[in-house]
Amino acid sequence: MVYSIESAQSIFSSTQVPSPIPATIALFEQLNVDDKLALLWFAYTEMGRSITPAAVGAARLQFAEGLLNQIKQMSQADQLQVMRDLANRADTPISRSYANFSVNTKLAFWYELGEFMKQGIVAPVPSGYEMSRGVQIVLDAIKQLDAGQQITVLRNTVVDMGFGDVVVSSSPQVDAEPLFPRTEPAPTKITVKGITEPTVLSYIEALNKDDFDAAIALFTPDGALQPPFQKPIVGYEAIKRYMRAEAQGLNILPQEGISEELQNGSKQVKVTGIVQTPWFGVNVGMNISWRFLLNSEGKIFFVAIDMLASPAELLNLRVR
Ligand code: 45D
Protein backbone atom coordinates (compact mmCIF):
# COMPACT_ATOMS: atom_id res chain seq x y z
CA MET A 1 0.00 0.00 0.00
CA VAL A 2 1.38 3.39 -0.98
CA TYR A 3 -0.07 5.12 2.04
CA SER A 4 1.66 5.69 5.32
CA ILE A 5 -0.20 6.18 8.57
CA GLU A 6 1.14 9.70 8.57
CA SER A 7 -0.37 10.55 5.19
CA ALA A 8 -3.62 8.79 6.15
CA GLN A 9 -3.94 11.05 9.19
CA SER A 10 -4.59 14.02 6.94
CA ILE A 11 -7.52 12.64 4.93
CA PHE A 12 -10.60 14.86 5.22
CA SER A 13 -8.40 17.31 7.07
CA SER A 14 -11.21 19.84 7.31
CA THR A 15 -12.43 17.73 10.25
CA GLN A 16 -9.47 18.97 12.26
CA VAL A 17 -11.14 22.14 13.45
CA PRO A 18 -9.76 23.38 16.74
CA SER A 19 -11.55 21.54 19.50
CA PRO A 20 -12.69 23.28 22.68
CA ILE A 21 -11.86 20.09 24.58
CA PRO A 22 -8.03 20.35 24.69
CA ALA A 23 -8.39 24.10 25.20
CA THR A 24 -10.53 23.53 28.29
CA ILE A 25 -8.17 20.86 29.60
CA ALA A 26 -5.24 23.26 29.16
CA LEU A 27 -7.06 25.84 31.29
CA PHE A 28 -7.75 23.20 33.92
CA GLU A 29 -4.09 22.15 33.99
CA GLN A 30 -3.10 25.64 35.11
CA LEU A 31 -5.07 25.39 38.37
CA ASN A 32 -3.40 24.46 41.64
CA VAL A 33 -4.27 21.06 43.00
CA ASP A 34 -6.97 22.10 45.49
CA ASP A 35 -8.64 24.20 42.82
CA LYS A 36 -8.46 21.23 40.44
CA LEU A 37 -10.19 18.95 42.93
CA ALA A 38 -12.81 21.56 43.74
CA LEU A 39 -13.49 22.30 40.08
CA LEU A 40 -13.86 18.62 39.26
CA TRP A 41 -16.18 18.16 42.19
CA PHE A 42 -18.46 21.01 41.08
CA ALA A 43 -18.42 19.81 37.48
CA TYR A 44 -19.04 16.23 38.59
CA THR A 45 -21.98 17.08 40.84
CA GLU A 46 -23.71 18.40 37.71
CA MET A 47 -22.70 15.73 35.19
CA GLY A 48 -22.58 12.79 37.57
CA ARG A 49 -26.34 12.89 37.94
CA SER A 50 -26.65 11.42 34.45
CA ILE A 51 -24.42 8.40 35.13
CA THR A 52 -26.40 5.19 34.72
CA PRO A 53 -26.13 3.01 37.85
CA ALA A 54 -25.91 -0.20 35.79
CA ALA A 55 -22.56 1.00 34.48
CA VAL A 56 -21.03 1.00 37.91
CA GLY A 57 -21.90 -2.64 38.53
CA ALA A 58 -20.09 -3.98 41.57
CA ALA A 59 -17.91 -6.25 39.48
CA ARG A 60 -16.19 -3.26 37.94
CA LEU A 61 -14.65 -2.43 41.28
CA GLN A 62 -12.86 -5.70 41.89
CA PHE A 63 -9.50 -4.07 41.20
CA ALA A 64 -10.21 -0.84 43.06
CA GLU A 65 -11.71 -2.32 46.20
CA GLY A 66 -8.39 -2.71 48.01
CA LEU A 67 -7.48 0.93 47.50
CA LEU A 68 -10.95 2.14 48.40
CA ASN A 69 -10.92 0.17 51.66
CA GLN A 70 -7.49 1.56 52.49
CA ILE A 71 -8.72 5.10 51.88
CA LYS A 72 -11.87 4.57 53.97
CA GLN A 73 -9.76 3.76 57.04
CA MET A 74 -7.69 6.96 56.78
CA SER A 75 -8.13 10.24 58.61
CA GLN A 76 -9.83 12.97 56.57
CA ALA A 77 -6.49 14.79 56.23
CA ASP A 78 -4.86 11.69 54.76
CA GLN A 79 -7.81 11.10 52.46
CA LEU A 80 -7.47 14.61 51.11
CA GLN A 81 -3.76 14.02 50.62
CA VAL A 82 -4.47 10.87 48.57
CA MET A 83 -6.74 12.86 46.28
CA ARG A 84 -4.15 15.63 45.96
CA ASP A 85 -1.45 13.06 45.16
CA LEU A 86 -3.61 11.51 42.45
CA ALA A 87 -4.39 14.88 40.88
CA ASN A 88 -0.72 15.96 41.20
CA ARG A 89 0.51 12.68 39.71
CA ALA A 90 2.75 12.38 42.79
CA ASP A 91 4.91 9.27 43.14
CA THR A 92 3.12 7.38 45.92
CA PRO A 93 2.13 3.70 46.14
CA ILE A 94 -1.56 4.60 45.76
CA SER A 95 -0.88 6.84 42.76
CA ARG A 96 1.10 4.03 41.16
CA SER A 97 -1.67 1.47 41.70
CA TYR A 98 -4.21 3.91 40.33
CA ALA A 99 -2.20 4.49 37.16
CA ASN A 100 -2.37 0.76 36.45
CA PHE A 101 -6.16 0.68 36.54
CA SER A 102 -8.03 0.46 33.26
CA VAL A 103 -9.98 3.54 32.21
CA ASN A 104 -13.26 2.08 33.39
CA THR A 105 -11.83 1.06 36.76
CA LYS A 106 -10.45 4.58 37.22
CA LEU A 107 -13.89 6.01 36.53
CA ALA A 108 -15.58 3.51 38.85
CA PHE A 109 -13.00 4.24 41.58
CA TRP A 110 -13.80 7.98 41.50
CA TYR A 111 -17.51 7.28 41.26
CA GLU A 112 -17.22 5.32 44.49
CA LEU A 113 -15.10 8.01 46.19
CA GLY A 114 -17.77 10.53 45.19
CA GLU A 115 -20.42 8.37 46.85
CA PHE A 116 -18.25 8.12 49.98
CA MET A 117 -17.85 11.90 49.97
CA LYS A 118 -21.62 12.32 49.84
CA GLN A 119 -21.98 9.87 52.74
CA GLY A 120 -19.28 11.59 54.80
CA ILE A 121 -16.98 8.54 54.72
CA VAL A 122 -14.37 10.42 52.68
CA ALA A 123 -13.35 14.06 53.14
CA PRO A 124 -15.66 16.29 51.06
CA VAL A 125 -14.80 19.67 49.57
CA PRO A 126 -14.59 21.89 52.70
CA SER A 127 -17.98 23.53 53.29
CA GLY A 128 -16.48 27.03 53.51
CA TYR A 129 -14.63 26.60 50.21
CA GLU A 130 -14.64 29.82 48.18
CA MET A 131 -14.36 29.32 44.46
CA SER A 132 -11.22 31.03 43.20
CA ARG A 133 -11.25 33.17 40.05
CA GLY A 134 -9.38 30.40 38.20
CA VAL A 135 -11.97 27.78 39.12
CA GLN A 136 -14.75 30.11 37.98
CA ILE A 137 -13.04 30.61 34.61
CA VAL A 138 -12.63 26.88 33.97
CA LEU A 139 -16.17 26.16 35.15
CA ASP A 140 -17.48 28.78 32.72
CA ALA A 141 -15.44 27.21 29.91
CA ILE A 142 -16.93 23.80 30.74
CA LYS A 143 -20.44 25.24 30.69
CA GLN A 144 -19.87 26.37 27.09
CA LEU A 145 -19.30 22.75 26.00
CA ASP A 146 -22.04 20.38 24.95
CA ALA A 147 -22.73 17.41 27.21
CA GLY A 148 -20.65 14.98 25.14
CA GLN A 149 -17.66 17.31 25.32
CA GLN A 150 -18.13 17.84 29.05
CA ILE A 151 -17.99 14.14 29.87
CA THR A 152 -14.94 13.83 27.63
CA VAL A 153 -13.14 16.52 29.63
CA LEU A 154 -14.11 14.84 32.89
CA ARG A 155 -12.98 11.46 31.65
CA ASN A 156 -9.63 12.82 30.45
CA THR A 157 -8.88 14.35 33.83
CA VAL A 158 -9.65 11.04 35.53
CA VAL A 159 -7.50 9.08 33.05
CA ASP A 160 -4.54 11.45 33.50
CA MET A 161 -4.38 11.15 37.28
CA GLY A 162 -1.94 8.88 39.11
CA PHE A 163 1.77 8.26 38.76
CA GLY A 164 3.49 6.38 36.00
CA ASP A 165 3.71 6.27 32.28
CA VAL A 166 1.19 3.52 31.85
CA VAL A 167 -0.58 2.75 28.60
CA VAL A 168 -3.95 2.07 30.18
CA SER A 169 -5.33 -0.02 27.38
CA SER A 170 -2.47 -2.47 27.88
CA SER A 171 -3.24 -2.74 31.59
CA PRO A 172 -3.19 -6.47 32.42
CA GLN A 173 -6.50 -5.98 34.23
CA VAL A 174 -8.34 -5.36 31.00
CA ASP A 175 -8.49 -9.05 30.09
CA ALA A 176 -9.83 -9.98 33.50
CA GLU A 177 -12.52 -7.34 33.61
CA PRO A 178 -16.13 -8.30 33.19
CA LEU A 179 -17.86 -7.09 30.05
CA PHE A 180 -19.58 -3.75 30.26
CA PRO A 181 -23.36 -3.92 30.37
CA ARG A 182 -25.18 -2.49 27.35
CA THR A 183 -27.68 0.24 28.04
CA GLU A 184 -29.51 -0.37 24.78
CA PRO A 185 -29.79 -3.46 22.61
CA ALA A 186 -27.46 -3.02 19.66
CA PRO A 187 -29.21 -1.76 16.52
CA THR A 188 -29.64 -4.74 14.22
CA LYS A 189 -29.23 -3.28 10.74
CA ILE A 190 -27.01 -0.31 10.07
CA THR A 191 -27.71 2.04 7.21
CA VAL A 192 -25.77 5.24 6.67
CA LYS A 193 -26.94 7.85 4.19
CA GLY A 194 -24.35 8.08 1.41
CA ILE A 195 -22.42 4.95 2.42
CA THR A 196 -22.53 1.54 0.75
CA GLU A 197 -19.05 0.25 1.68
CA PRO A 198 -19.70 -3.08 3.44
CA THR A 199 -16.50 -2.69 5.47
CA VAL A 200 -17.67 0.53 7.07
CA LEU A 201 -21.13 -0.83 7.81
CA SER A 202 -19.65 -4.05 9.20
CA TYR A 203 -17.26 -2.06 11.40
CA ILE A 204 -20.13 -0.22 13.01
CA GLU A 205 -22.21 -3.38 13.37
CA ALA A 206 -19.30 -5.21 14.99
CA LEU A 207 -18.71 -2.46 17.55
CA ASN A 208 -22.41 -2.30 18.34
CA LYS A 209 -22.23 -6.00 19.21
CA ASP A 210 -18.91 -5.76 21.11
CA ASP A 211 -17.61 -8.24 18.54
CA PHE A 212 -14.02 -7.02 18.48
CA ASP A 213 -12.74 -10.07 16.60
CA ALA A 214 -15.08 -9.20 13.75
CA ALA A 215 -14.01 -5.57 13.95
CA ILE A 216 -10.26 -6.19 13.71
CA ALA A 217 -10.76 -8.71 10.90
CA LEU A 218 -11.78 -5.70 8.80
CA PHE A 219 -8.31 -4.11 9.15
CA THR A 220 -5.11 -4.76 7.21
CA PRO A 221 -2.39 -6.39 9.38
CA ASP A 222 -0.55 -3.05 9.51
CA GLY A 223 -3.81 -1.13 9.93
CA ALA A 224 -4.28 1.56 12.55
CA LEU A 225 -7.02 3.07 14.68
CA GLN A 226 -6.60 6.60 15.97
CA PRO A 227 -8.86 7.42 18.93
CA PRO A 228 -9.84 11.03 19.71
CA PHE A 229 -6.82 13.10 20.84
CA GLN A 230 -4.50 10.08 20.68
CA LYS A 231 -1.79 8.62 18.52
CA PRO A 232 -2.65 5.79 16.13
CA ILE A 233 -2.81 2.28 17.60
CA VAL A 234 -1.27 -0.16 15.12
CA GLY A 235 -1.86 -3.87 14.51
CA TYR A 236 -4.49 -6.48 15.37
CA GLU A 237 -3.44 -7.24 18.93
CA ALA A 238 -3.07 -3.63 20.03
CA ILE A 239 -6.35 -2.55 18.43
CA LYS A 240 -8.22 -5.47 19.94
CA ARG A 241 -6.90 -4.76 23.44
CA TYR A 242 -7.77 -1.14 23.05
CA MET A 243 -11.31 -1.96 21.95
CA ARG A 244 -11.74 -4.42 24.80
CA ALA A 245 -10.68 -1.69 27.21
CA GLU A 246 -12.47 1.30 25.78
CA ALA A 247 -15.09 0.41 23.20
CA GLN A 248 -17.29 -1.94 25.20
CA GLY A 249 -20.98 -1.22 25.36
CA LEU A 250 -20.90 1.72 22.94
CA ASN A 251 -24.04 2.55 21.00
CA ILE A 252 -23.01 3.85 17.62
CA LEU A 253 -25.63 5.74 15.68
CA PRO A 254 -24.08 6.83 12.39
CA GLN A 255 -25.98 9.46 10.42
CA GLU A 256 -24.39 10.18 7.08
CA GLY A 257 -21.23 9.82 5.13
CA ILE A 258 -19.25 10.45 2.01
CA SER A 259 -17.08 8.09 0.02
CA GLU A 260 -14.35 9.12 -2.40
CA GLU A 261 -12.57 6.84 -4.81
CA LEU A 262 -8.79 7.44 -4.84
CA GLN A 263 -6.39 6.79 -7.72
CA ASN A 264 -5.07 3.37 -6.73
CA GLY A 265 -8.42 1.76 -6.05
CA SER A 266 -8.44 2.75 -2.41
CA LYS A 267 -11.14 4.90 -0.89
CA GLN A 268 -11.51 7.53 1.75
CA VAL A 269 -14.76 7.45 3.63
CA LYS A 270 -16.03 9.89 6.21
CA VAL A 271 -18.99 9.15 8.45
CA THR A 272 -20.53 11.37 11.09
CA GLY A 273 -22.88 10.35 13.86
CA ILE A 274 -23.59 9.99 17.53
CA VAL A 275 -21.89 7.69 20.04
CA GLN A 276 -23.31 6.88 23.46
CA THR A 277 -21.09 5.50 26.23
CA PRO A 278 -22.48 2.88 28.62
CA TRP A 279 -21.65 5.27 31.49
CA PHE A 280 -24.30 7.74 30.43
CA GLY A 281 -26.43 5.65 28.09
CA VAL A 282 -29.02 7.60 26.15
CA ASN A 283 -28.56 10.61 28.45
CA VAL A 284 -25.50 11.90 26.61
CA GLY A 285 -24.66 11.71 22.92
CA MET A 286 -21.23 12.55 21.54
CA ASN A 287 -20.89 14.02 18.06
CA ILE A 288 -18.22 11.98 16.30
CA SER A 289 -16.69 11.47 12.91
CA TRP A 290 -14.86 8.48 11.50
CA ARG A 291 -12.33 9.00 8.72
CA PHE A 292 -11.56 5.67 7.03
CA LEU A 293 -8.87 4.91 4.49
CA LEU A 294 -9.75 1.60 2.82
CA ASN A 295 -7.31 -0.23 0.56
CA SER A 296 -8.28 -1.61 -2.85
CA GLU A 297 -9.52 -4.83 -1.19
CA GLY A 298 -11.79 -2.82 1.08
CA LYS A 299 -9.70 -3.44 4.21
CA ILE A 300 -9.23 -0.67 6.76
CA PHE A 301 -5.69 0.70 6.61
CA PHE A 302 -6.56 3.62 8.85
CA VAL A 303 -9.52 4.95 10.79
CA ALA A 304 -9.48 8.10 12.89
CA ILE A 305 -12.23 8.80 15.38
CA ASP A 306 -12.65 12.50 16.14
CA MET A 307 -14.85 14.39 18.55
CA LEU A 308 -16.57 17.08 16.54
CA ALA A 309 -16.12 20.66 17.67
CA SER A 310 -19.82 21.40 17.17
CA PRO A 311 -22.99 19.68 15.95
CA ALA A 312 -22.64 21.68 12.71
CA GLU A 313 -19.65 19.45 11.91
CA LEU A 314 -22.05 16.49 11.60
CA LEU A 315 -23.03 17.94 8.23
CA ASN A 316 -19.56 19.05 7.17
CA LEU A 317 -18.77 16.19 4.80
CA ARG A 318 -17.11 18.14 2.01
CA VAL A 319 -13.67 17.03 0.91
CA ARG A 320 -11.08 19.75 1.00
O1 45D B 1 -14.48 14.32 44.13
O2 45D B 1 -15.14 3.63 16.56
C1 45D B 1 -13.64 13.70 40.21
C2 45D B 1 -13.42 4.26 20.25
C3 45D B 1 -12.71 14.45 41.20
C4 45D B 1 -13.25 2.94 19.50
C5 45D B 1 -14.69 12.87 40.87
C6 45D B 1 -14.68 4.99 19.85
C7 45D B 1 -13.36 15.07 42.28
C8 45D B 1 -13.46 3.04 18.05
C9 45D B 1 -12.67 12.91 39.41
C10 45D B 1 -14.30 14.73 39.36
C11 45D B 1 -13.38 3.90 21.71
C12 45D B 1 -12.24 5.18 19.92
C13 45D B 1 -14.95 13.09 42.19
C14 45D B 1 -15.27 4.70 18.62
C15 45D B 1 -14.30 14.14 42.95
C16 45D B 1 -14.68 3.79 17.69
C17 45D B 1 -15.45 11.84 40.14
C18 45D B 1 -15.16 6.14 20.63
C19 45D B 1 -15.94 12.27 42.92
C20 45D B 1 -16.51 5.37 18.21
C21 45D B 1 -15.63 11.80 38.80
C22 45D B 1 -15.66 6.11 21.88
C23 45D B 1 -16.32 10.77 38.05
C24 45D B 1 -15.93 7.30 22.68
C25 45D B 1 -16.88 9.59 38.73
C26 45D B 1 -15.86 8.64 22.06
C27 45D B 1 -16.41 10.97 36.71
C28 45D B 1 -16.19 7.13 24.01
C29 45D B 1 -16.97 10.08 35.76
C30 45D B 1 -16.30 8.21 24.96
C31 45D B 1 -16.92 10.36 34.43
C32 45D B 1 -16.62 7.93 26.26
C33 45D B 1 -17.33 9.46 33.36
C34 45D B 1 -16.67 8.93 27.31
C35 45D B 1 -17.06 9.82 32.08
C36 45D B 1 -17.03 8.53 28.57
C37 45D B 1 -17.99 8.20 33.71
C38 45D B 1 -16.34 10.33 27.01
C39 45D B 1 -17.25 8.97 30.95
C40 45D B 1 -16.99 9.41 29.72
Side-chain angles (χ1 to χ4, degrees):
M1 180 118 185
V2 277
Y3 288 100
S4 64
I5 289 176
E6 209 172 36
S7 65
Q9 281 176 307
S10 63
I11 59 170
F12 297 106
S13 57
S14 65
T15 307
Q16 255 71 69
V17 288
S19 171
I21 295 170
T24 306
I25 292 171
L27 278 180
F28 167 80
E29 282 300 336
Q30 289 169 26
L31 299 176
N32 69 41
V33 70
D34 284 348
D35 279 356
K36 277 184 182 165
L37 288 172
L39 171 105
L40 288 173
W41 174 255
F42 292 132
Y44 173 64
T45 45
E46 286 303 312
M47 295 171 223
R49 277 200 272 269
S50 314
I51 291 182
T52 56
V56 203
R60 310 246 92 231
L61 285 167
Q62 57 178 322
F63 297 106
E65 218 141 43
L67 269 200
L68 286 166
N69 285 334
Q70 211 179 320
I71 293 169
K72 270 203 245 177
Q73 327 269 294
M74 293 178 176
S75 68
Q76 295 229 328
D78 288 346
Q79 291 171 338
L80 182 57
Q81 194 54 45
V82 167
M83 292 190 264
R84 286 178 174 146
D85 290 342
L86 288 171
N88 268 335
R89 303 176 192 118
D91 185 1
T92 67
I94 290 183
S95 272
R96 281 178 183 256
S97 309
Y98 177 91
N100 278 297
F101 289 165
S102 70
V103 171
N104 285 323
T105 298
K106 285 179 177 176
L107 292 169
F109 167 87
W110 272 110
Y111 178 87
E112 207 60 9
L113 273 189
E115 294 301 302
F116 292 161
M117 288 163 82
K118 286 181 203 155
Q119 295 160 23
I121 301 171
V122 164
V125 173
S127 57
Y129 175 84
E130 292 258 354
M131 223 186 271
S132 72
R133 174 104 188 91
V135 169
Q136 191 61 62
I137 288 171
V138 185
L139 210 49
D140 287 345
I142 291 177
K143 284 184 188 152
Q144 304 297 310
L145 305 177
D146 67 40
Q149 294 168 334
Q150 290 179 342
I151 67 166
T152 303
V153 168
L154 202 57
R155 180 186 198 258
N156 281 15
T157 61
V158 167
V159 169
D160 283 349
M161 288 188 202
F163 179 83
D165 209 5
V166 182
V167 181
V168 268
S169 63
S170 65
S171 158
Q173 292 171 1
V174 167
D175 292 323
E177 275 182 348
L179 285 175
F180 227 95
R182 280 198 163 273
T183 51
E184 293 272 280
T188 43
K189 195 82 203 124
I190 295 292
T191 51
V192 187
K193 201 172 133 200
I195 297 299
T196 52
E197 280 68 26
T199 304
V200 171
L201 301 174
S202 302
Y203 171 88
I204 291 163
E205 271 170 21
L207 285 192
N208 273 328
K209 286 192 286 201
D210 300 323
D211 187 348
F212 306 129
D213 286 321
I216 52 165
L218 300 166
F219 285 76
T220 65
D222 56 350
L225 178 142
Q226 179 179 292
F229 312 112
Q230 288 184 45
K231 292 202 204 79
I233 296 165
V234 186
Y236 292 142
E237 270 319 299
I239 295 173
K240 194 175 157 187
R241 288 190 72 84
Y242 173 80
M243 287 180 168
R244 180 96 175 45
E246 311 217 11
Q248 274 182 47
L250 298 178
N251 293 323
I252 303 187
L253 311 161
Q255 294 185 340
E256 33 182 320
I258 186 171
S259 169
E260 296 271 312
E261 192 86 46
L262 301 171
Q263 274 149 358
N264 50 5
S266 53
K267 277 181 182 175
Q268 54 178 28
V269 179
K270 180 175 165 185
V271 175
T272 56
I274 311 287
V275 173
Q276 295 162 347
T277 149
W279 282 99
F280 291 89
V282 296
N283 298 334
V284 180
M286 290 170 282
N287 302 319
I288 300 278
S289 82
W290 292 262
R291 294 178 290 127
F292 291 92
L293 185 59
L294 306 179
N295 74 7
S296 50
E297 278 101 56
K299 291 277 183 195
I300 304 171
F301 174 65
F302 179 80
V303 57
I305 294 90
D306 299 297
M307 295 282 301
L308 300 179
S310 71
E313 289 294 315
L314 285 171
L315 302 172
N316 180 13
L317 290 166
R318 275 164 302 148
V319 191
R320 262 182 241 154

